[in-house]
Amino acid sequence: ETQALIEDRFSSLGMTMMTLTQFVTVDSIASVYLPLIRQNPWLMFYFVPLILVVSISLMNLVTASLVEAALEHARQEKEEEKKLASVAAKNMLPDIVKLFDQLDADRSGFLVIQEMKDFETEGLVPPELLDKASVESMSELFQQLDVDESGRVNREEFIEGLLDIFLREVPVYSIQATKMLRLVRESQLKVEADIRSLQDQLGTKTERSLGFF
């Protein structure tokens, strides 16, 4: 049986290469090495490393190469998307600035919700604006841009907010949450500064009181 297997699987260079290919692809290789190991157990020290190194390690190497290539391709696509987004932002910026100037009827440098409503009532809203911003009205757009709920939106907030909405592939509420966290952090720092100032004032008064007595 072993002799027949050897003659069948290793009779020529071509058949030997085909048999080794079976080890690489792990294609029914048990029918090759088990009879040989039964005949000569020492062959186990040849076939076991062969299976581990050739089939498992090589396949893992091929898989790792494919994954690395896919990750590199994804990274290049992401960089290309960033470049396209940057170009789109530059192209959109003049239109956004012009839109702010049109909305700012009193030239105060700030927008209030009534100005947004009047602009919509007069039918001056660009058709694609509400679709790109995923809102149904200018009032809703104002609420999204007015993150700090101050009742007004300045030029920087308007431009930054629209660019974020148009270019970033994230939900609007995520953008609002990020900006709100920034405002909370700024308020926290201000409160901490006020507390330190009060502590200093109380410390000074205490020292004066002790000095008086």
Side-chain angles (χ1 to χ4, degrees), residues 110-150:
F110 293 91
L111 297 180
V112 295
I113 192 169
Q114 189 59 46
E115 289 177 322
M116 304 278 276
K117 290 180 178 179
D118 293 342
F119 193 77
E120 184 174 12
T121 302
E122 295 172 4
L124 301 176
V125 180
E128 69 279 3
L129 176 62
L130 299 181
D131 291 336
K132 287 183 178 180
S134 300
V135 295
E136 297 181 357
S137 65
M138 293 296 286
S139 299
E140 185 178 349
L141 178 60
F142 181 85
Q143 292 174 356
Q144 292 180 0
L145 297 175
D146 185 23
V147 179
D148 56 0
E149 298 183 354
S150 62

Side-chain angles (χ1 to χ4, degrees), residues 129-204:
L129 176 62
L130 299 181
D131 291 336
K132 287 183 178 180
S134 300
V135 295
E136 297 181 357
S137 65
M138 293 296 286
S139 299
E140 185 178 349
L141 178 60
F142 181 85
Q143 292 174 356
Q144 292 180 0
L145 297 175
D146 185 23
V147 179
D148 56 0
E149 298 183 354
S150 62
R152 61 181 189 174
V153 176
N154 61 30
R155 180 185 295 267
E156 289 73 19
E157 290 174 334
F158 183 82
I159 295 173
E160 180 184 351
L162 281 185
L163 287 177
D164 284 342
I165 293 173
F166 291 162
L167 300 179
R168 294 184 184 177
E169 296 181 356
V170 294
V172 174
Y173 65 82
S174 297
I175 299 172
Q176 289 182 317
T178 302
K179 292 184 177 180
M180 184 60 70
L181 288 174
R182 189 186 309 127
L183 292 172
V184 169
R185 178 58 179 168
E186 292 175 356
S187 299
Q188 180 183 356
L189 293 175
K190 184 178 180 181
V191 170
E192 290 176 354
D194 292 340
I195 291 175
R196 285 194 296 268
S197 177
L198 288 174
Q199 288 176 342
D200 293 339
Q201 293 177 8
L202 290 174
T204 302

Side-chain angles (χ1 to χ4, degrees), residues 26-129:
V26 197
D27 181 18
S28 303
I29 58 176
S31 61
V32 178
Y33 66 80
L34 281 180
L36 297 175
I37 291 176
R38 290 195 188 102
Q39 181 69 25
N40 186 355
W42 288 101
L43 288 176
M44 178 180 63
F45 296 102
Y46 169 77
F47 284 108
V48 170
L50 180 64
I51 295 172
L52 292 176
V53 174
V54 175
S55 60
I56 298 177
S57 300
L58 185 59
M59 292 303 292
N60 286 340
L61 181 61
V62 172
T63 303
S65 299
L66 293 175
V67 171
E68 180 66 22
L71 292 175
E72 178 64 20
H73 182 68
R75 185 186 64 81
Q76 292 178 356
E77 284 189 346
K78 191 172 183 179
E79 290 181 355
E80 187 65 24
E81 289 177 358
K82 288 182 179 179
K83 292 179 181 179
L84 293 176
S86 178
V87 173
K90 291 180 180 179
N91 293 334
M92 294 169 61
L93 188 58
D95 293 334
I96 294 177
V97 173
K98 181 180 178 181
L99 178 61
F100 179 87
D101 293 335
Q102 292 175 344
L103 289 167
D104 187 18
D106 58 0
R107 299 294 182 267
S108 62
F110 293 91
L111 297 180
V112 295
I113 192 169
Q114 189 59 46
E115 289 177 322
M116 304 278 276
K117 290 180 178 179
D118 293 342
F119 193 77
E120 184 174 12
T121 302
E122 295 172 4
L124 301 176
V125 180
E128 69 279 3
L129 176 62

